[in-house]
Amino acid sequence: MVNYPYAHLQAPASSLPEPKRDILRSAQRVLAILNLIASTPGGLTARAVSSLLHLNISTCYHCLNTLAAAGYVERLPNGHYVLGPQIPYLNDAYLRTLSQDWPGPQSEEHRSALAVPTYQPAIQQRLRPILHSLSERCQEPAYLAAWRYGEVELQAIVEPAHAERIPGIYVGYRGQAHAHALGKVLLAYSSPEFVGDYLARHSLPRLTQRTIVERSLLREELHSVVRQGYSIDREELHTGTACLAAPVRDAQGRVIAAIALSFRCDLLSRRGEWLITQVVRAAYQASMELRLINRC
């Protein structure tokens, strides 16, 4: 069964959108097929891909053969196409970029106005044990995110074996900062100039009935985050899921990342205070770890 709960975010749409003038239609088809297959762990037949994307079956086969020849998909004996061996290579290459310095905006003036912090090398590796500890203690998925190229980017996910990941969320996921706890923490501790620029560049789509879509209400929410020292996402990104996040500071006291925990929304009423304590403590431990890195 194919399910795209986040089709409006990252997952492929059920049909191809109209291309812009400077977009290759053929490349757009190939990428749509690749995204569709990536969203279906069991793979899809060529006819299923053709039907879901409203593509001519011969065109579909041409695209699939092109992807298979390059190693991006492979055909199983049952006729289903799944992701191929080239995908892990791309993923590994992407993860290696996360250990590099994170460049901010191009111009010095813009960089100063946006106040976009950059990571030092290998920080996510240093903080991973803290995420593991948080996830193991709470038996829920733990996350690390920070600003990268002016967007909130998910840098690490640690989850217990039984945990069910939020649909559409993965390492490298960007955007929708208004709708999740990690994004709200990072926005809340950014400069007013950056927040204004971010809101000017982004719409605030309604992802669930609880998503904050009014800019004035979002600004009020960000002020509340700073007052209480943590952020709560109450089914704002995904129905039935809540998330808690707290800021991670560098040696200079600047918030450069956020740590979060996601869980079933009903746990807020039963274990909310304890979960908040665990997330805030983990963020504090991460901040202390960054101070040690700076001393080294």
Side-chain angles (χ1 to χ4, degrees), residues 21-205:
R21 293 180 180 178
D22 59 346
I23 292 179
L24 290 174
R25 181 67 170 174
S26 57
Q28 193 180 37
R29 293 191 189 102
V30 168
L31 292 173
I33 290 173
L34 187 60
N35 285 336
L36 179 61
I37 291 173
S39 70
T40 315
L44 292 167
T45 64
R47 290 197 175 278
V49 172
S50 173
S51 175
L52 287 166
L53 294 181
H54 305 295
L55 287 175
N56 178 279
I57 188 63
S58 62
T59 299
C60 189
Y61 272 114
H62 284 310
C63 293
L64 286 168
N65 289 339
T66 300
L67 287 167
Y72 291 104
V73 303
E74 57 184 335
R75 188 176 185 274
L76 300 179
N78 64 1
H80 285 216
Y81 287 86
V82 296
L83 293 180
Q86 189 68 8
I87 299 301
Y89 168 78
L90 293 180
N91 180 65
D92 179 69
Y94 172 77
L95 293 177
R96 280 187 277 112
T97 69
L98 300 185
S99 65
Q100 305 300 315
D101 288 333
W102 296 7
Q106 294 301 315
S107 71
E108 287 294 331
E109 295 80 5
H110 199 203
R111 183 182 296 110
S112 176
L114 297 185
V116 179
T118 60
Y119 253 142
Q120 298 299 316
I123 284 183
Q124 63 275 15
Q125 287 91 337
R126 294 288 294 269
L127 299 187
R128 184 171 286 275
I130 296 174
L131 293 181
H132 274 285
S133 178
L134 175 63
S135 178
E136 182 178 354
R137 192 162 58 249
C138 301
Q139 286 298 293
E140 302 290 351
Y143 309 87
L144 174 71
W147 290 109
R148 193 171 191 235
Y149 304 114
E151 298 291 340
V152 173
E153 184 172 77
L154 189 58
Q155 293 299 311
I157 301 174
V158 174
E159 52 197 356
H162 71 276
E164 183 175 341
R165 184 178 298 184
I166 301 173
I169 300 301
Y170 49 87
V171 173
Y173 173 85
R174 292 184 187 178
Q176 315 301 338
H178 70 293
H180 53 79
L182 288 162
K184 289 192 292 183
V185 162
L186 291 169
L187 280 170
Y189 288 93
S190 296
S191 69
E193 294 81 6
F194 178 82
V195 174
D197 180 86
Y198 184 90
L199 294 178
R201 291 184 290 113
H202 295 79
S203 61
L204 304 180

